[in-house]
Amino acid sequence: MSKVSKLTTGITGLVVNQHPHHTLGVLYGKILRTLQKMPESAAYRKYTEQVINERASVLKGTACVETVEKSIGCGQIEEVIVQAENELILARKMLTWKPWEPLTKEAPATQWIWPPAKH
């Protein structure tokens, strides 16, 4: 894959990644392996898998960083890498939280009422 030739991202604190294809490929693989530990019926798994597979396909389809950035449409490749890192953190937390399991007790009847009633 091609090496990045830009000197800066223009975003304070966000350095240029010299091997973005490799970095994203590793992150996407980790995310997908984490998602496979969730039930297939889990909404988070279904939709996250769809997004990650689409992005991985774009990544594999071209060596041009600019084309990847344009196809994904979420900023510079370094920003996409940060998004993938955050998604991996969230996916691992979701495994702990298990939001697909039934509630342990009934939710309060007023849970979805906003603003809350004054007492």
Side-chain angles (χ1 to χ4, degrees):
M1 300 287 161
S2 68
K3 194 171 178 182
V4 178
S5 60
K6 64 183 174 183
L7 300 176
T8 179
T9 62
I11 301 172
T12 302
L14 188 61
V15 298
V16 174
N17 187 299
Q18 294 300 317
H19 305 284
H21 278 78
H22 174 74
T23 303
L24 273 176
V26 169
L27 287 167
Y28 288 163
K30 287 180 179 183
I31 292 167
L32 290 171
R33 285 190 298 279
T34 302
L35 294 173
Q36 288 173 354
K37 296 175 185 175
M38 299 175 189
E40 287 184 23
S41 61
Y44 176 77
R45 174 184 173 166
K46 284 193 282 189
Y47 298 114
T48 305
E49 243 176 5
Q50 179 183 353
V51 170
I52 297 302
N53 282 325
E54 288 171 6
R55 290 182 177 192
S57 176
V58 167
L59 193 65
K60 289 176 186 170
T62 182
C64 177
V65 172
E66 291 80 16
T67 303
V68 172
E69 290 173 343
K70 191 176 287 186
S71 296
I72 291 177
C74 288
Q76 296 181 53
I77 198 79
E78 290 81 7
E79 292 174 286
V80 176
I81 290 169
V82 170
Q83 293 166 10
E85 290 168 342
N86 289 336
E87 195 65 55
L88 178 58
I89 290 166
L90 176 59
R92 288 174 173 166
K93 286 181 179 181
M94 293 292 262
L95 274 178
T96 303
W97 296 333
K98 298 180 172 123
W100 51 83
E101 291 185 352
L103 297 176
T104 56
K105 62 181 182 178
E106 192 65 34
T110 60
Q111 178 173 338
W112 301 111
I113 298 174
W114 189 260
K118 294 182 181 183
H119 298 280

